[in-house]
Amino acid sequence: GAVVSQHPSRVICKSGTSVKIECRSLDFQATTMFWYRQFPKKSLMLMATSNEGSKATYEQGVEKDKFLINHASLTLSTLTVTSAHPEDSSFYICSARDLAGGAKTQYFGPGTRLLVL
Amino acid sequence: AQSVTQPDIHITVSEGASLELRCNYSYGATPYLFWYVQSPGQGLQLLLKYFSGDTLVQGIKGFEAEFKRSQSSFNLRKPSVHWSDAAEYFCAVGGGSSNTGKLIFGQGTTLQVKP
């Protein structure tokens, strides 16, 4: 099956620093990847759609200068949380659409737990 | 408005008993429907999906779901639950003519399995 990885799995950083999270499709190509945020006991909130070779599309209310997304290749998208603050602490999950499968199905990464002190 | 509703926030069943998790959706176009499962601290694993054709779809781990257009439902079922099925279950809808790939998720149902 299609596998998506994320790195790191968890990260602790100081307030004001930036953190980069990588999302990779390991055995398929993905022109589109998605970034979600999940709060405890809550559903997933779509933050942005990451398109290979073009600018990301952000959902309403998501600060694009705060959450920088780069999708430089068909297998890698990165999310950088800039000047992180404690309220940015959350579980971040990416997903990727499998081109070969008609791009109808999203496969999810294992998530990254971010804690900002 | 497009939405997904999972009416049951929390369900407890005994091991070996049957299970049905409800999912209702509101979507303007032909929906693509998905069920995902999430274990604590983990990402989402795809259980099954429906795009078209046979309205009863089989998934992994012995799960199945039935698409009922007249009821706008896509309920997930399993005839005999195992303790390892305890997790969070999410129903999601996407697709349509534009097929942006965006998914709309339900609120999730927490499944607890009693020994």
Side-chain angles (χ1 to χ4, degrees):
Chain A
V3 180
V4 176
S5 71
Q6 278 184 246
H7 179 79
S9 59
R10 56 180 64 217
V11 56
I12 301 173
C13 69
K14 293 182 178 180
S15 185
T17 61
S18 295
V19 175
K20 179 184 284 188
I21 303 170
E22 293 185 348
C23 177
R24 294 181 185 273
S25 55
L26 297 185
D27 51 1
F28 66 99
Q29 293 184 325
T31 55
T32 304
M33 292 183 174
F34 301 88
W35 287 95
Y36 295 85
R37 184 171 177 176
Q38 186 178 34
F39 293 99
K41 305 293 185 183
K42 298 291 185 182
S43 187
L44 281 73
M45 181 193 80
L46 178 64
M47 298 174 65
T49 302
S50 170
N51 302 297
E52 188 266 337
S54 64
K55 291 183 179 180
T57 304
Y58 290 82
E59 296 300 301
Q60 191 172 9
V62 178
E63 300 175 59
K64 61 180 181 182
D65 295 330
K66 173 77 171 174
F67 299 99
L68 299 179
I69 291 172
N70 182 272
H71 193 155
S73 77
L74 285 174
T75 59
L76 173 64
S77 174
T78 60
L79 169 69
T80 301
V81 183
T82 62
S83 187
H85 291 284
E87 58 265 30
D88 298 323
S89 298
S90 192
F91 192 54
Y92 293 88
I93 307 177
C94 72
S95 71
R97 291 206 295 176
D98 185 354
L99 277 179
K104 295 176 182 176
T105 302
Q106 287 186 33
Y107 296 94
F108 286 79
T112 297
R113 177 76 59 189
L114 170 63
L115 177 61
V116 184
L117 302 177
Chain B
Q2 299 171 349
S3 65
V4 177
T5 301
Q6 293 179 243
D8 305 305
I9 302 299
H10 192 114
I11 282 184
T12 300
V13 299
S14 298
E15 189 170 15
S18 63
L19 171 70
E20 182 170 37
L21 301 183
R22 296 182 291 165
C23 173
N24 293 97
Y25 67 90
S26 174
Y27 200 76
T30 302
Y32 298 154
L33 294 156
F34 307 84
W35 274 99
Y36 289 91
V37 61
Q38 184 181 34
S39 297
Q42 303 295 315
L44 274 67
Q45 181 182 21
L46 179 67
L47 285 176
L48 47 77
K49 58 193 176 186
Y50 172 80
F51 297 149
S52 65
D54 192 345
T55 56
L56 183 63
V57 293
Q58 303 297 319
I60 62 172
K61 302 184 180 185
F63 286 93
E64 67 177 26
E66 186 171 12
F67 171 57
K68 293 186 177 180
R69 185 185 297 275
S70 62
Q71 298 177 21
S72 297
S73 69
F74 188 57
N75 294 348
L76 181 71
R77 299 194 293 252
K78 185 169 184 177
S80 177
V81 170
H82 188 262
W83 64 266
S84 60
D85 293 324
E88 189 79 16
Y89 290 80
F90 292 98
C91 179
V93 65
S97 57
S98 64
N99 195 17
T100 61
K102 288 185 182 181
L103 292 179
I104 301 168
F105 282 88
Q107 304 92 316
T109 297
T110 302
L111 174 64
Q112 184 178 0
V113 181
K114 293 190 300 184

